Amino acid sequence: QVQVVESGGGLVQAGGSLRLSCTGSGLTLAAMGWFRQAPGKEREKVLCINRSGDYTWYADSVKGRFNVSRDSAKNTLYLQMNSLQPEDTAMYYCAADRIYFCADSTSIFGQGTQVTVSS
């Protein structure tokens, strides 16, 4: 059975940090990453890391603040979010892609975890 399960998230003040985790089971993955969707906005890709962990893409809005790491043996992804701002408030979805580099059309998404940043 294919499963993508996120954990972490919560409420934090601006300038604070949070850590998210994601595990993909029952999958042979090409890449894993995170998307987010704020109220009234479209879902956007935040970052993606390939299977070997030697290539990572970050959205400009999170570069220098978010850091991702991956344990390929465990199909687990870790997202360290620092210097959080109210505009980072969103539902965060882990993406597990068996084919491409976190493509929206081929990724399997978890149920999401809420991140709320208060000002």
Side-chain angles (χ1 to χ4, degrees):
Q1 182 180 359
V2 175
Q3 272 192 315
V4 178
V5 180
E6 303 103 336
S7 61
L11 174 64
V12 65
Q13 289 188 331
S17 298
L18 282 175
R19 187 175 187 248
L20 306 181
S21 300
C22 169
T23 299
S25 60
L27 302 169
T28 299
L29 300 174
M32 293 183 75
W34 290 91
F35 287 65
R36 68 185 180 185
Q37 187 168 21
K41 294 186 177 181
E42 292 187 358
R43 185 167 62 189
E44 62 171 345
K45 184 160 66 177
V46 176
L47 58 89
C48 187
I49 184 169
N50 65 355
R51 177 176 177 79
S52 62
D54 59 1
Y55 179 73
T56 307
W57 176 89
Y58 291 93
D60 288 343
S61 58
V62 305
K63 281 182 181 177
R65 301 188 298 122
F66 288 15
N67 186 59
V68 67
S69 58
R70 180 175 179 178
D71 185 336
S72 293
K74 298 180 180 179
N75 269 356
T76 298
L77 196 66
Y78 304 99
L79 175 59
Q80 180 67 40
M81 303 185 292
N82 301 318
S83 301
L84 284 162
Q85 299 301 317
E87 52 265 36
D88 294 315
T89 295
M91 185 71 78
Y92 282 71
Y93 297 91
C94 180
D97 197 329
R98 290 170 290 181
I99 303 174
Y100 298 122
F101 193 68
C102 302
D104 196 281
S105 60
T106 55
S107 292
I108 297 171
F109 293 94
Q111 79 285 354
T113 185
Q114 180 68 37
V115 171
T116 302
V117 184
S118 63
S119 58

